[in-house]
Amino acid sequence: MSLLPFRRRDDRSGENRWSAGCGIEARSVCSSYGDTRVLHEVTACFAHGGVTSLIGPNGAGKSTLLGVMSRLQAADSGAVLVDGVDVSVNGGRELARRLAVLRQENAVSIRLTVRELVGFGRFPHNGGRPGPDDAEHVDYALGAMELEDLADRYLDELSGGQRQRAHIAMVLAQDTDYVLLDEPLNNLDLRHATSIMRLLRRTAAERGKTIVLVIHDINIAAAYSDRIIAMKDGRIVSDGTPAEIMRTDVLKAVYDMEMQVAEVAGRYVALYFDGEDELEEYGAALSTA
């Protein structure tokens, strides 16, 4: 099965296609940092397969929701279920065989080569005793991220984008049914960012993976996602296909700014840069300098 990354999505019917067969389910999840509530009664179902993007302004709660789903962040109330099992009571190695997560910040305290880092993705399966099957997964992940030539280089010898690709490769090597990625395109140039999104689509389509990612580029989200969930102030404010989310009224409600949405070659593109107004403001600033 092959899915085109830029296929047309015309369904604006609003029909809820996401409630049947939840792979990951968040039920009325609340979470706080100190006295600040960052998630308010969030309920969401992530069905088996497909790519879902979480979008929204800074502080919307996207990364926190991903953290609660992966058991990296505690919930004050509510529950998250993976294949019907509550992650708060059944986690650890068993959960790591089912669910992999890439965090925004991935500091490594020991000096590792790229291959060694990617090999850590196999730990939930081999307990630190790798075999031939593990080597195959590592080689696949290195190839998918175009890291073969860097496999024996140390992480501190790489650029930020190369290190990001190495961490994504580690998640791919883990080979789980569910993949959660928190801003995976950080530090990546355009070629590698679009290459990774194509790979995620292929992985979801051909291997049946469920991929959920936090992303700030709404145009990339629209081009490569099956579903987009928009968050604001710790709540889900819109949920649907790219066609349903890439609308001027929806985007204004999410981001508090005017945007136009165009369709180019079957893709929905948000135009959020008003060149004329920006140039006028820039010229006014120069004239008073």
Side-chain angles (χ1 to χ4, degrees):
M1 180 179 180
S2 177
L3 294 181
L4 296 175
F6 297 135
R7 71 189 189 282
R8 183 186 299 271
R9 298 175 173 91
D10 293 322
D11 183 6
R12 294 178 183 258
S13 66
E15 179 186 356
N16 186 350
R17 291 166 294 283
W18 316 110
S19 59
C22 293
I24 303 176
E25 184 178 5
R27 295 180 177 175
S28 301
V29 171
C30 296
S31 186
S32 305
Y33 292 105
D35 295 330
T36 303
R37 176 64 58 86
V38 290
L39 289 180
H40 302 268
E41 299 283 340
V42 172
T43 294
C45 169
F46 300 88
H48 295 281
V51 177
T52 298
S53 289
L54 303 180
I55 68 168
N58 293 336
K62 307 179 297 296
S63 295
T64 302
L65 177 58
L66 219 66
V68 173
M69 287 165 55
S70 58
R71 215 180 68 148
L72 297 176
Q73 166 76 18
D76 300 332
S77 60
V80 172
L81 282 67
V82 174
D83 290 333
V85 178
D86 190 331
V87 301
S88 67
V89 295
N90 287 284
R93 189 169 170 182
E94 178 58 32
L95 179 62
R97 292 193 186 105
R98 295 174 177 267
L99 184 149
V101 59
L102 176 74
R103 305 178 69 172
Q104 274 190 52
E105 299 177 359
N106 296 287
V108 178
S109 59
I110 59 176
R111 200 164 192 241
L112 297 172
T113 66
V114 172
R115 186 179 297 277
E116 288 169 340
L117 175 72
V118 176
F120 275 117
R122 300 301 302 161
F123 186 85
H125 304 280
N126 62 35
R129 295 181 293 276
D133 182 59
D134 300 301
E136 290 181 9
H137 281 86
V138 169
D139 287 341
Y140 163 78
L142 289 170
M145 289 294 103
E146 300 180 0
L147 291 168
E148 299 100 323
D149 293 341
L150 301 174
D152 297 319
R153 293 266 298 274
Y154 287 99
L155 294 174
D156 57 12
E157 298 173 347
L158 305 182
S159 70
Q162 290 169 333
R163 284 194 298 272
Q164 183 74 350
R165 284 156 52 202
H167 281 95
I168 295 173
M170 179 181 66
V171 170
L172 292 178
Q174 197 169 333
D175 192 26
T176 55
D177 292 334
Y178 307 102
V179 180
L180 309 183
L181 305 169
D182 195 353
E183 299 192 30
L185 307 186
N186 280 355
N187 301 314
L188 297 181
D189 58 46
L190 287 175
R191 185 177 75 83
H192 284 108
T194 54
S195 175
I196 286 171
M197 291 305 298
R198 288 190 183 99
L199 172 68
L200 295 178
R201 280 210 57 76
R202 289 199 308 271
T203 300
E206 296 170 2
R207 298 190 170 203
K209 307 292 188 185
T210 301
I211 298 175
V212 183
L213 65 152
V214 172
I215 187 169
H216 281 289
D217 191 321
I218 56 178
N219 291 328
I220 288 183
Y224 292 97
S225 303
D226 298 293
R227 175 192 183 193
I228 297 175
I229 294 177
M231 298 187 67
K232 183 179 181 180
D233 298 329
R235 297 177 171 86
I236 292 175
V237 294
S238 195
D239 181 355
T241 65
E244 293 164 336
I245 302 300
M246 296 295 282
R247 301 167 60 112
T248 55
D249 56 336
V250 173
L251 294 178
K252 182 177 181 180
V254 175
Y255 291 101
D256 294 322
M257 61 182 292
E258 296 287 347
M259 300 187 208
Q260 297 299 315
V261 177
E263 189 172 342
V264 180
R267 293 173 279 179
Y268 296 104
V269 179
L271 307 174
Y272 47 82
F273 174 74
D274 189 335
E276 183 176 346
D277 288 349
E278 294 285 351
L279 290 175
E280 287 179 0
E281 292 175 5
Y282 181 63
L286 288 179
S287 65
T288 58

